[in-house]
Amino acid sequence: VMLNKRVGSLSSLNEVSDQDPFPQGVMEMLPAFFPVRPLTFREGLVRSGLSEATAERMSELYEFLHEQRRKCTKQDFVRLIRWVASQGGRPSAPPGWTSEARP
């Protein structure tokens, strides 16, 4: 439901190739999404109708963002999200990024 409201049809999301950027709605949704146990994020996406490849790509991005979130300030996390979005949703850190563990 959340994906349909943010992105549109699941079939259009399944058509996004590995080389194409994710729609902006995906980038807005990922940091705020939490899977419902016992499903993993990827399993929930597959059950919602996403293809295995799309679910895997989104899951990798989700894991990257949430791992970094635990290591940086909110301001740095927003900067990271903007960077990742500008890179087409590829899980990578901006040049010079150092995510120090928070006290």
Side-chain angles (χ1 to χ4, degrees):
V1 174
M2 190 178 202
L3 277 173
N4 282 330
K5 288 184 179 183
R6 293 279 188 169
V7 180
S9 73
L10 294 178
S11 61
S12 65
L13 189 55
N14 279 331
E15 292 173 7
V16 175
S17 78
D18 287 348
Q19 305 307 313
D20 293 328
F22 279 126
Q24 185 62 32
V26 170
M27 297 308 302
E28 293 169 356
M29 178 210 64
L30 276 177
F33 187 84
F34 293 95
V36 177
R37 293 185 192 258
L39 298 178
T40 65
F41 182 76
R42 191 189 73 63
E43 290 167 338
L45 293 175
V46 170
R47 284 195 182 187
S48 72
L50 285 180
S51 69
E52 290 280 340
T54 302
E56 184 62 31
R57 184 175 166 206
M58 285 180 66
S59 181
E60 287 175 10
L61 181 54
Y62 171 84
E63 294 296 331
F64 172 76
L65 289 174
H66 280 270
E67 178 182 327
Q68 295 301 313
R69 177 65 185 111
R70 291 188 282 274
K71 299 177 182 178
C72 64
T73 66
K74 183 176 181 179
Q75 181 180 5
D76 285 341
F77 188 61
V78 169
R79 187 171 64 105
L80 176 65
I81 291 169
R82 287 183 183 143
W83 168 260
V84 170
S86 75
Q87 301 303 302
R90 309 242 184 296
S92 66
W97 175 263
T98 56
S99 56
E100 302 286 327
R102 291 186 293 181

